Amino acid sequence: MKHTVSLKLNHEFRRLYNKGRTAASPYMAVYCRKTRLPYSRLGLTTGVKLGKAVRRNRVRRRLREIYRTNEWRLAPGWDVVVVARVKAVYAEYGQLERSFLALAQKLELLEQNK
């Protein structure tokens, strides 16, 4: 991911959950908050409800790839957390991608000129 760093600290996730903007679909919920950084930060969350580690990691890989391939559309300077829901395990890649882009559009994460 060219202009993105991973979110790893618990307090950063909690800040987004409490003070960030949110949008949700049947496949995922996206939390975001504008920062003063010149780059974006991405956090992915997959709960135990999704299944065992293999399933959770597969969903995480797919979401990371969706973000990576669409990163050029997203405006820099945002903290973004994507929380996978149970339906994401059974969804096709295209459904997940459309859902992510729709939520990004709703949260105004997409750059206007692209």
Side-chain angles (χ1 to χ4, degrees):
M1 290 184 274
K2 192 173 182 183
H3 303 290
T4 304
V5 180
S6 292
L7 267 178
K8 295 185 181 190
L9 299 178
N10 189 12
H11 72 88
E12 293 171 339
F13 279 84
R14 283 196 321 254
R15 184 185 323 127
L16 274 173
Y17 294 146
N18 293 329
K19 297 185 179 183
R21 297 180 5 214
T22 183
S25 74
Y27 305 110
M28 67 189 78
V30 176
Y31 297 85
C32 67
R33 187 171 187 207
K34 186 78 173 144
T35 64
R36 294 186 177 134
L37 301 173
Y39 54 87
S40 293
R41 298 188 297 178
L42 173 68
L44 297 171
T45 304
T46 54
V48 179
K49 283 184 179 182
L50 271 63
K52 296 189 178 184
V54 172
R55 279 189 177 177
R56 293 194 308 267
N57 289 334
R58 181 172 185 258
V59 170
R60 219 175 335 219
R61 282 194 311 268
R62 292 170 92 194
L63 291 175
R64 194 177 298 114
E65 180 65 10
I66 288 168
Y67 184 90
R68 187 189 69 79
T69 57
N70 292 291
E71 185 179 24
W72 62 274
R73 296 180 183 189
L74 302 172
W78 289 87
D79 282 352
V80 179
V81 170
V82 180
V83 180
R85 293 187 168 173
V86 176
K87 282 191 174 187
V89 174
Y90 308 104
E92 293 179 7
Y93 183 86
Q95 291 173 313
L96 290 175
E97 188 170 30
R98 282 189 298 277
S99 178
F100 176 76
L101 290 174
L103 295 177
Q105 178 75 38
K106 184 176 180 182
L107 292 169
E108 300 172 358
L109 293 176
L110 300 179
E111 284 193 325
Q112 302 302 324
N113 59 357
K114 292 186 179 184

